[in-house]
Amino acid sequence: MLKHLKTKKARDESGLFIIEGEKFIAEIPYHFNIVHYIASRKYADTHDLTPYTSRARCDVVRDSIFQSLADTVTPQGIIAVCEKIPHSLDTILCDTAFILMGENLNDPGNVGTLIRTAVAAGTSGVVFTAGSCDIYSPKVLRAAAGAVLRLPIVDNANPNEIFDALAAASVPIFAAHPRGDALPYDTDMRRSLCLLVGNESRGISDAARAAAHALIRLPMTADTESLNASVAGSILLYEAVRQRQSYATIAP
């Protein structure tokens, strides 16, 4: 069964996912349910397993079996199997909503980096539409450096439902677009908002373009067509952080 958790289909059907490595496992928040741990024989012979067995069952397997379960080339010898925590948009909508949305993002590195940056920037949550890569894939988890566990994330979302819900809550959408007519520094990001980043090659969809309150371009030299999706999203996130911190300082 654990080998199957390397596939998105199995993760979706079981509601389980795998986390590898001592550091990431040590940082799993207590509101996540750990089903069990798996340790290699070599790891068990050289480490105290009490910190793991005090939280969940820990099975020790032959090194060769562990190697087949692990996703990394040189695994550290310990794996945790966790239950997903589903989130809805209601979880991250609030009076000061600060939301990042990724539409059809296909690169695990981009998705993981955006999640990690969203956590650092203090967003209220992240939304990924159906068609984006799985946030629980090993590559995304590694790129996010454990941040997937520290932020409400709505995944496999229907974009039109998200756009309608944001409109009903009066949360404006500011979408990154290479030919947008607004600059981030001239766009008011001090109150509730959703920053939208589109597909790595195609950009945002027509539906997203229609739903956006502003299309924001980042200034670039003439010989640069566009920025990496995670870079563009990170720049917008931190421009919002700058504005919101300044506003908090001067607001009565």
Side-chain angles (χ1 to χ4, degrees):
M1 173 191 170
L2 292 181
K3 284 186 180 180
H4 294 158
L5 291 181
K6 291 184 176 183
T7 69
K8 181 180 186 303
K9 184 174 185 285
R11 292 191 293 268
D12 286 345
E13 291 176 350
S14 66
L16 303 175
F17 66 102
I18 288 175
I19 296 178
E20 284 190 48
E22 283 184 314
K23 182 178 184 296
F24 291 162
I25 289 175
E27 294 175 351
I28 297 174
Y30 271 88
H31 63 273
F32 269 88
N33 180 40
I34 299 176
V35 178
H36 65 275
Y37 298 97
I38 301 156
S40 68
R41 170 51 59 191
K42 180 179 179 180
Y43 186 89
D45 289 344
T46 56
H47 293 77
D48 178 13
L49 299 182
T50 303
Y52 306 115
T53 57
S54 62
R55 187 167 176 182
R57 187 181 88 240
C58 183
D59 298 325
V60 178
V61 299
R62 295 196 306 271
D63 293 347
S64 58
I65 294 176
F66 187 90
Q67 184 71 50
S68 71
L69 299 175
D71 186 72
T72 53
V73 177
T74 54
Q76 295 181 9
I78 186 72
I79 285 174
V81 180
C82 301
E83 287 184 356
K84 297 181 183 180
I85 298 179
H87 293 285
S88 67
L89 187 63
D90 291 339
T91 309
I92 57 181
L93 275 176
C94 56
D95 292 340
T96 56
F98 180 16
I99 299 169
L100 174 68
M101 181 173 177
E103 185 185 37
N104 295 320
L105 291 178
N106 301 144
D107 184 89
N110 283 336
V111 170
T113 299
L114 283 170
I115 293 171
R116 186 175 183 178
T117 307
V119 170
T123 66
S124 52
V126 179
V127 177
F128 290 107
T129 66
S132 297
C133 61
D134 183 14
I135 63 171
Y136 296 103
S137 74
K139 290 182 179 178
V140 170
L141 291 171
R142 285 197 296 273
V148 170
L149 311 181
R150 302 199 294 273
L151 189 73
I153 302 176
V154 181
D155 61 334
N156 294 315
N158 180 307
N160 292 322
E161 291 179 1
I162 298 297
F163 297 149
D164 289 345
L166 291 172
S170 299
V171 176
I173 299 171
F174 299 139
H177 195 286
R179 290 173 294 283
D181 54 9
L183 293 173
Y185 324 112
D186 301 327
T187 304
D188 188 350
M189 302 183 186
R190 297 174 296 174
R191 297 175 177 83
S192 293
L193 80 159
C194 173
L195 296 174
L196 173 62
V197 180
N199 178 267
E200 290 87 350
S201 59
R202 299 186 302 275
I204 62 173
S205 66
D206 291 340
R209 190 178 292 107
H213 289 67
L215 300 180
I216 302 178
R217 63 180 171 84
L218 296 171
M220 292 179 285
T221 59
D223 58 349
T224 304
E225 182 179 346
S226 64
L227 290 173
N228 172 280
S230 61
V231 171
S234 298
I235 291 172
L236 291 179
L237 281 169
Y238 269 91
E239 172 57 20
V241 168
R242 184 191 68 79
Q243 292 187 24
R244 293 162 81 88
Q245 287 182 342
S246 298
Y247 180 69
T249 301
I250 63 175

